Amino acid sequence: MSVATSIAEVLPNFYYFYEIEFINKIVINLYYYESKVYKPSEYSRVLAICGPGNNGGDGLVAARHLHHFGYKPSVCYPKRTRKPLYNGLVTQVKHSSGLELNCI
């Protein structure tokens, strides 16, 4: 079992963190460090290629946050999963005005 899988299983049961909170916290922290190098004024265009698993959720959340932080992300999510969490994340991306949705 991978460390990420172990953490994802322990957080909801012990610390009452849920998957969406976990993804949001990770993405916000990654943005903080990445924005030091890739400022939106210099590197505004971002491509989020989202897969059917956790990569898809992370990419959808990252695109939404990057949009709110001044970047111009395009989302490519060619193979969707049917899990309610991911359907909700797609809905959030679609409702973020100015976000480009490609391959969805």
Side-chain angles (χ1 to χ4, degrees), residues 77-88:
Y77 188 23
K79 186 176 179 185
R80 292 188 190 194
T81 184
R82 295 178 188 249
K83 292 182 181 178
L85 171 68
Y86 298 98
N87 292 333

Side-chain angles (χ1 to χ4, degrees), residues 1-12 19 22 26 54 58:
M1 182 181 299
S2 74
V3 173
T5 302
S6 299
I7 291 171
E9 289 177 358
V10 168
L11 285 176
E19 191 172 4
F22 188 54
I26 290 170
N54 286 344
D58 295 343

Side-chain angles (χ1 to χ4, degrees), residues 56-97:
D58 295 343
L60 292 167
V61 171
R64 184 170 46 86
H65 283 299
L66 288 170
H67 169 70
H68 293 297
F69 291 131
Y71 293 87
K72 297 175 186 151
S74 293
V75 179
C76 183
Y77 188 23
K79 186 176 179 185
R80 292 188 190 194
T81 184
R82 295 178 188 249
K83 292 182 181 178
L85 171 68
Y86 298 98
N87 292 333
L89 294 174
V90 167
T91 300
Q92 290 176 1
V93 168
K94 286 181 177 179
H95 285 81
S96 294
S97 64

Side-chain angles (χ1 to χ4, degrees), residues 10-82:
V10 168
L11 285 176
N13 298 326
F14 188 74
Y15 294 105
Y16 298 99
F17 275 96
Y18 295 94
E19 191 172 4
I20 189 66
E21 291 177 277
F22 188 54
I23 294 170
N24 274 300
K25 289 178 186 304
I26 290 170
V27 168
I28 294 285
N29 284 308
L30 287 173
Y31 162 74
Y32 175 76
Y33 293 106
E34 291 293 323
S35 67
K36 303 286 185 203
V37 177
Y38 301 106
K39 296 173 180 32
S41 59
E42 298 174 40
Y43 302 95
S44 63
R45 303 294 299 163
V46 177
L47 175 61
I49 301 173
C50 304
N54 286 344
N55 167 268
D58 295 343
L60 292 167
V61 171
R64 184 170 46 86
H65 283 299
L66 288 170
H67 169 70
H68 293 297
F69 291 131
Y71 293 87
K72 297 175 186 151
S74 293
V75 179
C76 183
Y77 188 23
K79 186 176 179 185
R80 292 188 190 194
T81 184
R82 295 178 188 249

